[in-house]
Amino acid sequence: MSLWEYANPVKFIATTDRVLPALAWAAAGCLAAGLIWGFFFTPDDFRQGSTVKIIYLHVPSALMAINGWLMMLVASLIWIVRRHHVSALAARAAAPVGATMTVIALATGAIWGQPMWGTYWAWDPRLTSFLILFLFYLGYMALWAAIENDDTAADLTSILCLVGSVFALLSRYAVNFWNQGLHQGASLSLDKEENVADVFWYPLLVSIAGFVLLFIALVFLRTQTEIRARRMRALLARERMA
Amino acid sequence: MIALLTRDLRLAIRAGGGFGLGLAFFLIVVVLVPFGVGPETTLLARIAPGILWVGALLACLLSLDRIFALDWEDGSLDLLATAPLPMEGIVTVKAAAHWITTGLPLVLAAPALGLLLSLPGPGYLWLFLSLLIGTPALSVIGTFGAALTVGLKRGGLLLSLLVLPLYVPTLIFGAEVARRGADGLAVETPLLMLAGLSFGAVALLPFASAAVLRINLR
């Protein structure tokens, strides 16, 4: 029993088929619980009023936007090193989900920024690096879409993902240098003295768990779709040959 | 390697090589900006370093698809790939040729165009230096993008989409050097960062470009 068994597409589909319903229900449950708890059963912040509740969408989606790219990076590395097709397809499947998370984070951030900072958008380091991350997602997806040969596309996009990760990190620190921010610093770290209050923290944790489960479920589902689409193309090609 | 470099340079300078196209584009961008924002010299002086950097970057971007496209079409890229020269060397030479034909003219022209935008006095030296250090990074990063899109029919737009986010750090530090220089502030930190970025890109990215080109020629 090892993790690499799941490099076999049949095994992957069989296993994910079994866990997918549970994952999807768990995601729905956590999201519903976290969001309802957060929206209706937490007190208003004394300065921000009820706008503080955007945090239950903003923080988890931002978290998943970054971790989505990280997951693509790991999957790309596995593809480059061990050449498992499922890995490359999983990276491809994760990209649109991650890009959507980035858009959600940017949009909720803008809606939150308007009452708090008096502006929808500022060239703050965090905002700017998220916009750049979004551009990276776009480029990655466009490259996948543009190349016809599957293996070539997998190779090229995984190298783009590697190089892009380095440059995304560079941009992250470069924009820090370039402009001072409006965005608050980290207030959810596990190792800090002063964090967000517990009343907001627990529903946020549930909501984050919901987003993580949702992301995993969507990536599993989309990877299955990619595998099946490729299998279908192979069958069609075989028909045409015969 | 030197033979390849001289061949590329000769091809670029002679007919149809597109030499000077980037330069003309740079000139037009710089001329268009005052029409867009108005002719006040104080405003122009304030935005001049940024405009010049963005203009140089766009001019560089414009000529990227020529790095490999012609050699790909007539098959000489396949010949080069089977030559004893390692792929990393080919990619480096291609980037160097691109820099000499596009980057270097931009660097040399930038101070003259700064005059049009009434760039403040101390800015000229720093603009020149920052472009001189920064444009090699633009060429090398662009070569990576060009290698990624070499086999594609309409790769031009995709190339811009892929390369522009990669250009962000270089642009930030380069424009920061030019801006601080023009304002008479200390430029050391961004200048060192820009140099580090540029040398790092020149040293490491050819490996990625070569890997990508090998995949594309498979």
Side-chain angles (χ1 to χ4, degrees):
Chain A
M1 183 67 202
S2 92
L3 184 66
W4 303 116
E5 277 182 26
Y6 298 102
N8 178 348
V10 178
K11 174 95 180 160
F12 179 84
I13 286 189
T15 313
T16 48
D17 256 344
R18 233 178 302 127
V19 297
L20 204 49
L23 260 179
W25 280 112
C30 280
L31 276 178
L35 293 181
I36 292 173
W37 183 2
F39 284 159
F40 300 110
F41 299 102
T42 56
D44 288 352
D45 185 81
F46 86 102
R47 225 180 312 158
Q48 302 197 29
S50 53
T51 52
V52 73
K53 292 175 177 179
I54 299 176
I55 198 175
Y56 302 112
L57 286 172
H58 182 68
V59 171
S61 59
L63 191 82
M64 286 328 290
I66 297 169
N67 284 315
W69 185 271
L70 204 65
M71 181 240 136
M72 279 160 54
L73 176 65
V74 173
S76 301
L77 272 175
I78 294 177
W79 162 251
I80 291 178
V81 176
R82 298 192 60 135
R83 322 240 11 122
H84 295 318
H85 286 269
V86 172
S87 175
L89 290 179
R92 178 182 191 171
V97 185
T100 314
M101 292 293 178
T102 318
V103 173
I104 295 176
L106 283 171
T108 52
I111 296 166
W112 201 356
Q114 168 58 22
M116 288 306 110
W117 303 338
T119 174
Y120 286 106
W121 181 261
W123 289 98
D124 165 279
R126 284 179 198 238
L127 275 64
T128 313
S129 35
F130 249 71
L131 196 61
I132 296 169
L133 179 67
F134 181 59
L135 293 180
F136 273 115
Y137 271 122
L138 282 188
Y140 180 85
M141 290 189 288
L143 191 63
W144 260 112
I147 302 169
E148 276 163 28
N149 184 314
D150 286 330
D151 279 1
T152 312
D155 280 336
L156 293 182
T157 49
S158 47
I159 293 181
L160 175 68
C161 185
L162 257 68
V163 174
S165 304
V166 175
F167 276 88
L169 266 182
L170 278 176
S171 312
R172 175 74 187 89
Y173 291 100
V175 288
N176 257 344
F177 176 84
W178 165 69
N179 198 355
Q180 298 304 310
L182 275 173
H183 199 289
Q184 63 170 29
S187 58
L188 299 171
S189 318
L190 298 172
D191 57 347
K192 274 247 212 81
E193 290 288 303
E194 198 169 326
N195 267 335
V196 73
D198 281 354
V199 253
F200 302 116
W201 174 233
Y202 292 119
L204 183 59
L205 268 187
V206 179
S207 182
I208 287 177
F211 266 82
V212 172
L213 290 169
L214 177 70
F215 179 84
I216 298 174
L218 283 176
V219 170
F220 275 176
L221 189 67
R222 291 182 52 85
T223 312
Q224 284 191 1
T225 315
E226 296 284 350
I227 293 173
R228 290 191 170 123
R230 183 173 286 191
R231 202 176 280 166
M232 211 160 66
R233 273 204 304 278
L235 283 176
L236 282 176
R238 211 173 298 161
E239 292 261 298
R240 238 176 293 134
M241 296 285 280
Chain B
M1 281 177 94
I2 291 168
L4 181 60
L5 185 66
T6 47
R7 166 191 173 271
D8 273 2
L9 291 181
R10 216 177 292 133
L11 275 177
I13 291 165
R14 286 186 187 162
F19 180 73
L21 205 65
L23 208 55
F25 182 80
F26 191 28
L27 174 70
I28 287 171
V29 168
V30 170
V31 170
L32 284 181
V33 167
F35 295 134
V37 301
E40 301 152 62
T41 40
T42 46
L43 177 64
L44 282 178
R46 240 188 46 230
I47 60 173
I51 297 298
L52 289 166
W53 250 93
V54 172
L57 189 147
L58 290 177
C60 205
L61 190 72
L62 192 73
S63 53
L64 286 181
D65 57 341
R66 305 193 68 93
I67 297 181
F68 292 119
L70 294 177
D71 285 347
W72 166 266
E73 275 165 19
D74 65 8
S76 37
L77 201 56
D78 293 301
L79 281 182
L80 283 176
T82 50
L85 192 60
M87 196 63 105
E88 284 79 5
I90 297 171
V91 172
T92 312
V93 169
K94 287 282 181 189
H98 177 260
W99 183 70
I100 293 171
T101 53
T102 312
L104 198 57
L106 291 178
V107 176
L108 297 176
L113 295 179
L115 211 61
L116 287 178
L117 293 176
S118 55
L119 187 72
Y124 288 95
L125 173 66
W126 295 116
L127 176 75
F128 178 76
L129 260 182
S130 67
L131 278 171
L132 189 66
I133 298 175
T135 43
L138 297 185
S139 284
V140 176
I141 296 170
T143 309
F144 172 68
L148 269 176
T149 54
V150 69
L152 298 174
K153 289 281 177 302
R154 278 174 295 279
L157 203 58
L158 181 64
L159 178 62
S160 326
L161 182 63
L162 294 178
V163 166
L164 279 178
L166 299 178
Y167 274 173
V168 169
T170 320
L171 175 63
I172 288 176
F173 290 123
E176 189 73 16
V177 173
R179 194 182 62 78
R180 289 195 184 183
D183 292 349
L185 301 170
V187 295
E188 200 171 68
T189 323
L191 192 66
L192 289 178
M193 297 286 250
L194 178 69
L197 193 70
S198 194
F199 290 134
V202 170
L204 296 176
L205 261 180
F207 293 100
S209 315
V212 160
L213 205 55
R214 262 188 226 113
I215 293 163
N216 263 328
L217 289 173
R218 204 162 49 193

